Amino acid sequence: MALCGACTVHIDGVATRSCIITIDSIGKSQITTIEAIGATAAGSKIQKAWLDMKSSSAATASPDRFMSAAALLASNPHPTDVDIDDAMSGNICRCGTYVRIREAIKLAAQMNEKGG
């Protein structure tokens, strides 16, 4: 039903809920999972910022939040708070790290500005 976001992957760079995608609909699309996201420019910045801001949450929630944040930065390198809230709104978690996650995304965006 795509309600929690736990299964988020990137299909051609777009954060997508894999639970509602059929394998035959993918065709020749590029799929990126949490295991490979660090090899992307946005993913590597998010990884560093996530650690710097201690943004980790539960093991079931961290990957989908990470994937959504990386997709956001890949498509919008300088997101506003509203952009961040919109991109992260479908990721449900009880861990309470929402504020640190927003700050990590802002930190990664600053890395974009500095060319890091």
Side-chain angles (χ1 to χ4, degrees):
M1 294 179 60
L3 298 176
C4 70
C7 65
T8 303
V9 297
H10 291 184
I11 298 178
D12 293 330
V14 177
T16 306
R17 307 299 167 82
S18 65
C19 68
I20 58 169
I21 301 296
T22 60
I23 195 72
D24 60 333
S25 70
I26 294 172
K28 295 187 185 280
S29 296
Q30 176 69 38
I31 299 171
T32 306
T33 64
I34 189 68
E35 293 82 6
I37 197 66
T40 68
S44 65
K45 288 178 179 118
I46 284 290
Q47 280 180 335
K48 180 171 179 2
W50 224 254
L51 291 171
D52 290 350
M53 298 304 297
K54 297 174 179 53
S55 297
S56 292
S57 53
T60 55
S62 289
D64 62 298
R65 290 167 179 238
F66 196 93
M67 296 298 284
S68 294
L72 170 63
L73 284 183
S75 66
N76 180 356
H78 309 291
T80 65
D81 284 348
V82 171
D83 296 331
I84 294 169
D85 290 347
D86 287 347
M88 304 305 289
S89 66
N91 301 94
I92 299 171
C93 184
R94 297 178 285 165
C95 300
T97 58
Y98 298 105
V99 173
R100 288 192 310 246
I101 288 169
R102 180 190 281 168
E103 293 307 311
I105 294 169
K106 288 180 179 181
L107 178 60
Q110 289 173 359
M111 290 179 209
N112 282 336
E113 292 172 7
K114 295 176 183 172

